[in-house]
Amino acid sequence: MRVKVLSRNPDDYVRETKLDLQRVPRNYDPVLHPFEVPREYTRALNATKLERVFAKPFLSSLDGHRDGVNCMAKHPKSLSTVLSGACDGEVKIWNLTKRQCIRTIQAHEGFVRGMCARFCGTSFFTVGDDKTVKQWKMESPEHGEEEEPIHTILGKTVYTGIDHHWKEAVFATCGHQVDIWDEQRTSPMCSLTWGFDSISSVKFNPIETYLLGSCASDRNIVLYDMRKSTPLKKVILNMRTNTLCWNPMEAFVFTAANEDYNLYTFDMRFLESPVRVHMDHVSAVLDVDYSPTGKEFVSASFDKSIRIFPVDKGHSREVYHTKRMQHVITVKWTSDNKYILCGSDEMNIRLWKANASEKLGVLAPREKAAMNYNQKLKEKFQYHPKIRRIAQHRHLPKSIFCQIKEQRIMREARRRKELNRRKHSKPGSVPFVSERKKHIVAVVK
């Protein structure tokens, strides 16, 4: 007679402490669970609905400026510190944890056109309409000390933008031309120009730190190499580019915010056509900033909204707006990848969550596990029509909604016209032009 003895390992089912969860053995054989997929689909649908229910991205408004917010800068070392410059020449330093202004400086006469922090975080630079570049201490002056800049450089023309090198004591300004300065000198090390129009923005590459890009009002995006005294190449678009931002994870990739309502992601090695055209805004795009992961970027527009785009998608995943928010001039993504700051015409800086339905604060392990599980379910069923419709639905202001509708009709009319022209023309006389190449006029090297 054969006797089978059951042998069990107590580690598989005995709890170590009373607080542990009871372990339940489970067989994952799909034959034993015929309703697993319908059950998971229902959970994914509920998770998607709850995500939209809890999507409350607006956190707070930082009040204090007496004129429109024109530019902002992040502190390179402190997550809770942000700087902002207004149209009346006032600069404010904010503490995001307390959500209050910790210091105010009357920096310039007229607009503060641009600002940037030094890579070590000890000081910051501002440029304004009064043709000056000023360097300020990041810390407040001691009791009895006057609020004065460390250095002041008086230029010949108005400077419209400034950016600091990521590793060296060098900064670049733009206006009539791009000037590269050493912090210790009062005259530029070199001046770079290509064409005769005013340059609105200049940005250093965070990875290949000797590269920089600029946008001019004659529709050019020009790339420079600091090691040479001449520009590298330029791309001419149909309409003017307001600003650009380099991807912090991919050295050759940058995104340009254009007047034709679109954003263009370029690879600087192949400027003949953009990698991606991002279209959703219904007015000129004024500013753009990348997330620290390099997977998404946020754009600010004249249509009173900000949008979050994945780098590899043509349409935005999120749109933020409030009733009181006017034309959004500047936008920044915080260095911890959690929040977005935007400055607008009506003197406010608004703080948003980067992920609209994210729960702030400390999460219990079970909460974290449940959220991860729901996230995986949403990814698994994301292309199902019902779930996709709920996940993509966004409430829009009436003005934006009507403009989107109008632009869709115009786009369809243009497409129909082109098809008719091709149909009634000699074969090959009306070539097919892709959406990516439509907006590029020329590339000059």
Side-chain angles (χ1 to χ4, degrees):
M1 189 176 85
R2 291 172 68 192
V3 178
K4 267 190 169 182
V5 180
L6 289 174
S7 104
R8 286 181 186 161
N9 184 359
D11 290 346
D12 293 338
Y13 57 91
V14 175
R15 292 186 294 174
E16 286 183 15
T17 67
K18 285 182 184 178
L19 300 173
D20 277 1
L21 294 174
Q22 192 77 45
R23 290 185 184 180
V24 181
R26 188 165 169 219
N27 190 340
Y28 288 97
D29 183 4
V31 180
L32 299 176
H33 304 281
F35 298 117
E36 186 176 27
V37 175
R39 204 177 289 136
E40 281 190 344
Y41 170 74
T42 308
R43 286 175 186 166
L45 189 65
N46 289 338
T48 310
K49 286 177 181 176
L50 284 171
E51 183 189 44
R52 299 313 314 143
V53 166
F54 291 117
K56 293 181 171 59
F58 181 71
L59 290 173
S60 76
S61 172
L62 308 175
D63 312 328
H65 277 294
R66 292 170 295 179
D67 209 333
V69 182
N70 199 45
C71 54
M72 285 196 296
K74 292 184 281 192
H75 194 293
K77 304 283 184 184
S78 166
L79 287 174
S80 61
T81 307
V82 72
L83 304 97
S84 65
C87 299
D88 59 353
E90 200 173 60
V91 170
K92 283 184 180 287
I93 302 175
W94 303 87
N95 185 324
L96 295 181
T97 317
K98 296 175 183 173
R99 295 179 192 175
Q100 63 186 31
C101 175
I102 52 175
R103 188 172 162 211
T104 304
I105 307 163
Q106 187 58 45
H108 295 275
E109 291 171 18
F111 282 46
V112 179
R113 288 289 173 188
M115 61 195 312
C116 65
R118 200 171 185 273
F119 61 91
C120 59
T122 53
S123 62
F124 64 94
F125 295 82
T126 60
V127 292
D129 274 357
D130 52 4
K131 303 182 184 178
T132 57
V133 181
K134 294 183 181 180
Q135 184 182 3
W136 306 83
K137 277 186 183 174
M138 194 66 80
E139 292 169 6
S140 302
E142 291 178 21
H143 184 68
E145 266 189 81
E146 283 188 26
E147 188 77 83
E148 284 184 351
I150 306 168
H151 298 298
T152 303
I153 300 167
L154 183 60
K156 293 173 185 173
T157 56
V158 173
Y159 297 110
T160 52
I162 186 169
D163 197 32
H164 202 284
H165 194 281
W166 290 79
K167 288 177 182 172
E168 295 170 20
V170 171
F171 64 92
T173 60
C174 63
H176 184 59
Q177 59 192 14
V178 172
D179 294 322
I180 295 169
W181 307 74
D182 191 310
E183 285 181 16
Q184 306 303 321
R185 294 169 63 181
T186 55
S187 58
M189 292 194 297
C190 70
S191 296
L192 305 162
T193 182
W194 193 351
F196 300 98
D197 249 306
S198 59
I199 297 160
S200 57
S201 161
V202 64
K203 293 283 168 74
F204 274 100
N205 191 320
I207 303 166
E208 302 289 346
T209 51
Y210 49 83
L211 286 175
L212 47 109
S214 74
C215 310
S217 56
D218 57 355
R219 305 174 299 160
N220 292 345
I221 300 171
V222 188
L223 302 175
Y224 308 92
D225 190 332
M226 217 168 67
R227 298 167 299 183
K228 297 180 181 180
S229 55
T230 54
L232 288 174
K233 45 184 159 179
K234 72 174 171 181
V235 56
I236 306 166
L237 278 75
N238 277 332
M239 291 185 78
R240 192 182 76 181
T241 301
N242 288 314
T243 186
L244 61 85
C245 186
W246 293 93
N247 190 322
M249 289 293 164
E250 296 181 51
F252 302 112
V253 176
F254 66 89
T255 298
N258 204 276
E259 283 280 326
D260 65 359
Y261 314 170
N262 297 340
L263 295 113
Y264 301 98
T265 298
F266 284 96
D267 187 321
M268 66 170 280
R269 296 165 293 183
F270 315 105
L271 290 174
E272 286 74 24
S273 75
V275 178
R276 185 77 59 187
V277 180
H278 310 273
M279 39 204 328
D280 258 346
H281 282 294
V282 292
S283 196
V285 189
L286 301 179
D287 199 11
V288 60
D289 192 41
Y290 264 93
S291 73
T293 58
K295 291 181 179 176
E296 292 180 322
F297 60 84
V298 61
S299 62
S301 171
F302 202 75
D303 63 12
K304 307 176 188 177
S305 70
I306 61 172
R307 287 181 182 267
I308 301 171
F309 290 87
V311 173
D312 56 346
K313 298 279 194 307
H315 293 283
S316 60
R317 72 159 173 88
E318 205 67 75
V319 55
Y320 294 161
H321 54 86
T322 67
K323 282 184 179 176
R324 293 185 181 184
M325 190 155 78
Q326 295 303 306
H327 312 307
V328 191
I329 299 168
T330 176
V331 71
K332 284 279 179 268
W333 199 309
T334 57
S335 304
D336 61 350
N337 199 31
K338 277 188 175 289
Y339 306 104
I340 288 165
L341 289 147
C342 71
S344 50
D345 253 357
E346 84 307 337
M347 307 177 280
N348 270 354
I349 297 166
R350 288 181 174 82
L351 183 65
W352 309 83
K353 284 192 273 190
N355 182 2
S357 58
E358 185 181 17
K359 188 181 175 187
L360 300 178
V362 181
L363 294 177
R366 287 184 73 178
E367 253 181 322
K368 209 177 281 181
M371 283 173 73
N372 292 339
Y373 176 59
N374 285 342
Q375 188 60 39
K376 287 292 174 194
L377 285 177
K378 282 183 281 189
E379 283 171 20
K380 185 178 177 181
F381 293 96
Q382 64 184 327
Y383 297 112
H384 195 282
K386 220 173 190 179
I387 287 176
R388 193 175 180 182
R389 185 183 63 79
I390 294 165
Q392 289 186 347
H393 177 75
R394 294 291 179 278
H395 171 75
L396 290 168
K398 194 175 179 182
S399 59
I400 295 177
F401 183 78
C402 294
Q403 279 175 289
I404 288 172
K405 209 172 173 183
E406 194 178 309
Q407 281 185 13
R408 196 180 293 131
I409 294 165
M410 286 160 68
R411 214 166 23 242
E412 184 56 38
R414 280 197 295 270
R415 192 186 68 84
R416 204 164 49 243
K417 186 177 179 180
E418 195 180 323
L419 284 172
N420 289 340
R421 189 179 288 149
R422 193 173 287 117
K423 198 181 352 179
H424 299 290
S425 299
K426 189 179 170 185
S429 62
V430 182
F432 285 95
V433 182
S434 70
E435 186 64 42
R436 292 180 188 182
K437 291 193 176 178
K438 269 181 196 172
H439 309 280
I440 307 296
V441 176
V443 177
V444 188
K445 293 182 183 178

